[in-house]
Structure formats: structure tokens, C-alpha cells
Amino acid sequence: MDKTIIAGPCSEESREQLRETTEALAKTAQVSLIRAGVWKPRTRPGNFEGLGEPALQWMQELAAEYGVRYCCEVAHPEHVALCQQYGIQTVWLGARTTGNPFMVEEICNALRGSGMSVLVKNPMIPDVHLWLGAIERLQAAGIANLTAVHRGFAMYNNHGYRNAPLWEVPLELRRERPDLPLLCDPSHIGGRADLVAPIALAAMQLGYDGLMVEVHPHPEAAQSDPEQQITPDKLTQLIENLTIAHRTADNGQLAAALAPLRQQIDDIDHELLGLLARRMKLSQQIASVKQEMQTTVYQPKRWEQVLQDRLQIATALGLNADFTKELLEKIHAESVRVQLG
Ligand code: PEP
Ligand code: MN
């Protein structure tokens, strides 16, 4: 497969666990980098927090023995110094760090001149600028080898995922920075072993450059994230099953086959925009009437009626209810904004 595969346990738990994982992953010949957390950011105290320096020493020894490379998360300048000391060339910024510009800056200072490669996970919140900001800070510190990793977003409603994928956010990052490799971490998005494959497949269909997958020889015994880790055998199967969708489809026959359909989509989008503009003009007229009659802009009863009526129509038309509701809420919010002048 011509994709980058990074795999390994959520956390390094013992020398033996790392050896067993390394041996199995080296055999696949498809994993370019083995991941293992050495310092674990835990949401609440009292959980396994990683083994620290001894874990780095085992990595150094096993890297030499098996001819593999390891990477781990750094969340503090001291972690960078220790990684350098033990020959770790690639590190990643976790979701909690990417969202903290002060810490990113401090880590950048520690990385300056190191020649290390850095993977940048998306921040916990769906703010593409925060993600881009961390990448730009690393670049300004002279880090040339940078990769973005999509691990999903902590939302109030995750729709069955551990972290909502919100694919539009990484795709916006890709639009802004087509030069950066983009990987998907289906383990932290899904939070469940059975969700890893479908999420990985979706990422491939969206043209991602590869995956970062949590792999453990005995997932049920893992000290962190046991539900989402898969075995090395499952990883091999997953890689085999991935049919790779091509990102640059705009050529020859495919473009010709898509052209008439794309024309219709263009026409519909133009119509939709015209209709939206007309709708907002009506909102302005409504605002003047409400002002004259001295009544409030927001009318909860009317909004509830609109919502229920449109949802009924949408369902009959076979549109997804969540999508319709979100769209209507966006339109309503804009209408309220327009009315407030
Ligand atoms: C991890 O990769 O194990 C991890 C803690 O990642 P994230 O920062 O995406 O939560
Ligand atoms: Mn994990």
C-alpha cells in the first residue's frame, strides 16, 4: 500500500509488551513508524500515566535490535530533551497540547534545531485555525517535516463516536495546506475496535495519506484505551481490505463521466444561493414590520412550527433529519442576525 501506516500501542507498558508489538508489526512490513505513548495525558487523575524515561530506553534498544523507528507524544519541553537523548526522531503533539499555544511555543523552543519530525494532532475543539496555528509555530521553529493527524473532536454530542470526526475540519485544513500530509487516527475517533475499519476506509476515500492506528498484542489487557486497540493481525487484515480511492480523480474518462452531473450540481448550488438571498431579504422586511409593531425578533413558537414543518417535508424527501436540522438552525441564526441589523 502506498500509504503511511503508523501503528502501535496507546501506551508502552513494559519492555516485553513493546517487544511483542514490535516483532508483530515488523513482520507486516507495512508499518513505517511504531507509536507508543510514554507520557499519557489522562482526563482524570489516578489512571495509568505512562512509564517515562525507562520506556524510552527500551525503545532505543529495540529500535537497534529490530531496525524500526518509534514515535511518542511530547507534552512538555523536557519530554523533547529526553526523546533526543534516547534517539527518538519523530514525536507528536497530542490534541490537548495543540490547543494550547503557550505550550506549543515552549515545545517549539525545545525542538528548534533538533531536525525532528513532528505529527500534529487536531486540537480537542473543532477550530481549524488552532490546528494551523500549531503547525505554523512549528514551521517558524524550523521543523520541516510536519504531518497533520485527524483524531476527531470532543463534542457534547458525538453521534456514537468517542470523538466526532467532523470531516469538514480536516478537509478545510487540507484546502489551506495541500502541501501537508494528512493522516487519520481512527482509534481515537471511534473509541471502539469495531469502528476502526469503517473510519479508516472513509479516510482513504477522502484521500488521506495514511493512518495512525492503536495496535496492542492483547487489547483487553491494555492499561489505557483497551476498547479501541486492535491486534497486529487485525491491522494486517485492515490494510488488505482498504481499497484506496484516488485523490486526484480529475483526469480523462472519470472527469468526462462526472461532467454532466457536476453541471447539475453547479446549477442547483446557484439556485440555492439565489433562494437564500431572497429568504434573507424577506427577513429584513420582517424585521421592519416587527420593529414597527414593537415585537421581538425571536419568536420561539414560529421557529418551532418552521422547524417541525420543514423536518416533516425533509423526512418525506429522504433527507437526513440531523443534517436538515443543522441546516435550518444555521439559516435561522443568520436570519436572526440579519434582523438584528
Ligand atoms: C494518543 O494518541 O494515545 C493520544 C492520547 O492522543 P490524543 O492526543 O489524540 O488524545
Ligand atoms: Mn490512546
Side-chain angles (χ1 to χ4, degrees):
M1 192 161 83
D2 63 338
K3 301 280 171 177
T4 302
I5 307 285
I6 301 175
C10 177
S11 307
E12 191 173 331
E13 296 162 2
S14 68
R15 193 177 199 284
E16 206 29 54
Q17 174 241 20
L18 189 66
R19 176 190 288 284
E20 200 178 341
T21 315
T22 302
E23 202 161 286
L25 293 178
K27 256 194 221 142
T28 69
Q30 277 177 310
V31 174
S32 49
L33 199 56
I34 299 177
R35 59 149 288 152
V38 167
W39 300 278
K40 300 306 296 178
R42 305 320 300 262
T43 303
R44 300 181 72 179
N47 294 314
F48 179 67
E49 293 189 330
L51 298 175
E53 200 168 342
L56 292 173
Q57 195 170 343
W58 300 329
M59 279 179 170
Q60 189 172 39
E61 289 165 14
L62 293 169
E65 194 176 328
Y66 287 91
V68 296
R69 294 185 303 132
Y70 293 99
C71 64
C72 71
E73 174 175 349
V74 290
H76 195 273
E78 273 173 26
H79 298 165
V80 176
L82 279 163
C83 282
Q84 272 182 293
Q85 196 180 319
Y86 288 95
I88 304 293
Q89 309 263 12
T90 305
V91 294
W92 79 80
L93 296 192
R96 294 153 190 82
T97 303
T98 306
N100 178 353
F102 286 124
M103 192 47 81
V104 172
E105 202 59 48
E106 294 212 15
I107 292 173
C108 283
N109 290 334
L111 284 166
R112 207 180 296 274
S114 67
M116 279 174 152
S117 302
V118 183
L119 305 153
V120 188
K121 296 247 195 153
N122 67 251
M124 300 292 279
I125 61 166
D127 181 346
V128 75
H129 296 109
L130 211 45
W131 197 0
L132 282 166
I135 289 164
E136 286 159 3
R137 284 178 204 279
L138 286 158
Q139 250 167 345
I143 302 297
N145 198 346
L146 284 166
T147 298
V149 182
H150 171 216
R151 51 79 75 201
F153 302 92
M155 308 292 286
Y156 184 62
N157 182 355
N158 287 340
H159 297 283
Y161 296 98
R162 179 178 179 190
N163 289 289
L166 305 182
W167 297 100
E168 62 274 27
V169 180
L171 293 181
E172 174 61 13
L173 182 96
R174 167 136 275 185
R175 197 182 66 79
E176 293 248 1
R177 293 296 305 265
D179 57 308
L180 281 185
L182 173 64
L183 307 185
C184 177
D185 170 350
S187 312
H188 288 92
I189 292 177
R192 276 183 13 212
D194 64 314
L195 290 177
V196 171
I199 296 166
L201 179 61
M204 293 300 106
Q205 284 172 332
L206 291 169
Y208 280 50
D209 300 294
L211 304 170
M212 183 196 246
V213 186
E214 283 194 343
V215 172
H216 193 292
H218 312 286
E220 65 294 342
Q223 300 209 44
S224 57
D225 291 348
E227 309 84 5
Q228 70 192 34
Q229 304 204 57
I230 60 171
T231 59
D233 280 352
K234 282 259 163 62
L235 177 74
T236 307
Q237 214 176 69
L238 169 72
I239 297 172
E240 269 172 25
N241 292 347
L242 289 177
T243 34
I244 308 308
H246 291 282
R247 185 174 353 143
T248 45
D250 267 356
N251 48 19
Q253 281 186 326
L254 185 57
L258 289 177
L261 297 171
R262 284 182 167 164
Q263 182 60 55
Q264 289 183 59
I265 295 260
D266 289 351
D267 292 346
I268 291 175
D269 280 354
H270 297 168
E271 232 174 282
L272 277 175
L273 290 171
L275 289 171
L276 278 174
R278 259 176 65 199
R279 198 186 189 286
M280 292 307 158
K281 283 241 163 64
L282 286 168
S283 292
Q284 271 167 354
Q285 290 175 24
I286 282 186
S288 326
V289 176
K290 282 179 182 165
Q291 206 171 18
E292 261 168 45
M293 307 273 184
Q294 298 197 327
T295 185
T296 54
V297 161
Y298 180 51
Q299 301 277 333
K301 260 203 200 122
R302 160 76 180 155
W303 167 229
E304 187 57 32
Q305 280 165 0
V306 168
L307 199 56
Q308 292 315 325
D309 172 71
R310 310 313 188 249
L311 282 174
Q312 219 171 7
I313 297 173
T315 309
L317 290 170
L319 285 166
N320 177 287
D322 285 344
F323 160 74
T324 307
K325 187 158 179 274
E326 263 176 50
L327 182 66
L328 288 167
E329 280 167 351
K330 277 230 155 72
I331 293 173
H332 183 246
E334 177 62 6
S335 170
V336 167
R337 191 189 68 80
V338 164
Q339 291 184 56
L340 291 174

